[in-house]
Amino acid sequence: MREVAKAAGVSVATVSHVVNNKKGARIGEDARRRVQHVVAELGYRPNALAKTLSRGTSRFIGLVADAIATTPFAGQIIHGAQDEAWKHGYILLVANTESNAAAESEAIAMMLEHQVHGILYSTWYHRGITPPEGLEKTETVLVNCYDLDGGYPAVVPDEYQGGRAATAALLAAGHQRIAFINTTTESPAQSGRLAGYRAALEASGVPFDDSLVFPASPQQEGGYASTDGVLRTGATGVFCHNDRVAMGLYDGLRERGLRIPEDIAVMGFDNQDVIAAHLRPPLSTVALPHYELGAQGVRLLLGLESSTPDSPQLIDCPPIARSSV
């Protein structure tokens, strides 16, 4: 700063006011331009550590994740958070802990030492959690998960709306007898998507039939194993809990000589691009809004939008129309 001040012919205080965009500082336009020119010419950069110490906070936002950095589609949470952070002058620090409690504790401690503005804590699938210790020491928003005790603001996908949208797409295509292959694992996705399925049927005047709901493992094998049961019901459309289940159902239907969507329509959930866009025919599905979850988490953390710990914010899961319905 002294070098900039000497070259620009101004005081060190004036340089400080210019580079920090000090509001209310009375600086002439000529002096401001001279400082900015010298700053660019000399390649001056403020000392981030010194600014952190003086402010008591930094331009860093922490993101602690259990596995999302290594999953094929949920890494979009990082992408969304990073883009939104950059937009507001912040940098994202990411720690992927692979669900290791010791690594998680160390990551949170490291971020607190760096005086991050706040921490996003995220899980790779939507569920209730007991947040780890240390998060109470800074501003925290939960992403793709929620506090079972309601102590932290959270942003999660709207599973109910997504299930309703998936079923509505099949109804709009003229299907009245719609099977639902659901997971056996208790989760917000299991209960929320089932509730949305029932609500869409009810809104269209189609009675709910419990015999059309099939519990299955949430993998390709679960969809494949459900094929005969689905066909015995006479269903003309099937809503699958996720794209992997739909992929297994594709295999089962193809082995039985059935065509999609001519003989039976199939709807997935997740929009896992490596699956949905590359099946034949491409799979109509509902997208989990991972990018928007990350972006909204940053907005809540920065106070750009309001939130409450009592009720997680819900993000819509948009339907993606392809060729299987």
Side-chain angles (χ1 to χ4, degrees), residues 87-239:
K87 189 186 300 183
H88 301 288
Y90 288 83
I91 295 174
L92 199 67
L93 298 178
V94 180
N96 188 54
T97 67
E98 296 296 338
S99 299
N100 181 299
E104 184 174 82
S105 179
E106 186 67 23
I108 292 171
M110 177 271 292
M111 289 178 179
L112 293 175
E113 288 173 9
H114 280 75
Q115 295 181 303
V116 292
H117 181 88
I119 292 177
L120 302 179
Y121 181 85
S122 184
T123 57
W124 78 272
Y125 71 92
H126 179 194
R127 65 183 188 269
I129 64 165
T130 299
E133 294 181 6
L135 293 180
E136 76 281 356
K137 296 177 181 177
T138 188
E139 294 293 323
T140 297
V141 173
L142 306 182
V143 176
N144 206 36
C145 56
Y146 61 93
D147 184 358
L148 291 168
D149 295 324
Y152 292 92
V155 55
V156 299
D158 191 340
E159 306 284 4
Y160 168 83
Q161 171 272 327
R164 187 164 183 164
T167 310
L170 290 164
L171 289 163
H175 300 281
Q176 296 282 299
R177 194 155 179 78
I178 300 171
F180 177 31
I181 305 176
N182 201 5
T183 182
T184 55
T185 306
E186 287 189 17
S187 65
Q190 181 201 45
S191 57
R193 294 174 196 179
L194 175 59
Y197 163 78
R198 296 187 65 156
L201 294 176
E202 182 181 347
S204 295
V206 178
F208 171 73
D209 183 348
D210 189 58
S211 69
L212 288 169
V213 178
F214 294 85
S217 67
Q219 289 86 32
Q220 186 175 359
E221 293 76 13
Y224 182 82
S226 301
T227 306
D228 287 333
V230 167
L231 293 177
R232 280 194 294 269
T233 68
T236 62
V238 187
F239 167 30

Side-chain angles (χ1 to χ4, degrees), residues 1 12-23 25 27 32 35 44 46-47 51 54-55:
M1 287 178 68
V12 172
T14 296
V15 174
S16 176
H17 291 332
V18 171
V19 299
N20 289 297
N21 293 314
K22 182 78 171 180
K23 293 181 180 179
I27 302 169
R32 186 182 298 274
V35 169
Y44 170 83
N47 186 317
K51 293 177 75 171
S54 65
R55 290 174 179 169

Side-chain angles (χ1 to χ4, degrees), residues 153-154 296 299-309 311 313:
Q296 181 65 2
R299 289 192 287 269
L300 295 181
L301 195 66
L302 295 178
L304 301 174
E305 296 188 20
S306 59
S307 62
T308 169
S311 178
Q313 275 201 12

Side-chain angles (χ1 to χ4, degrees), residues 3 12 37 43 87 102 128 235 237 239 247 273 279 313 322:
E3 290 175 10
V12 172
H37 174 75
K87 189 186 300 183
F239 167 30
M247 181 166 58
D273 189 64
L279 287 174
Q313 275 201 12
R322 293 194 179 96

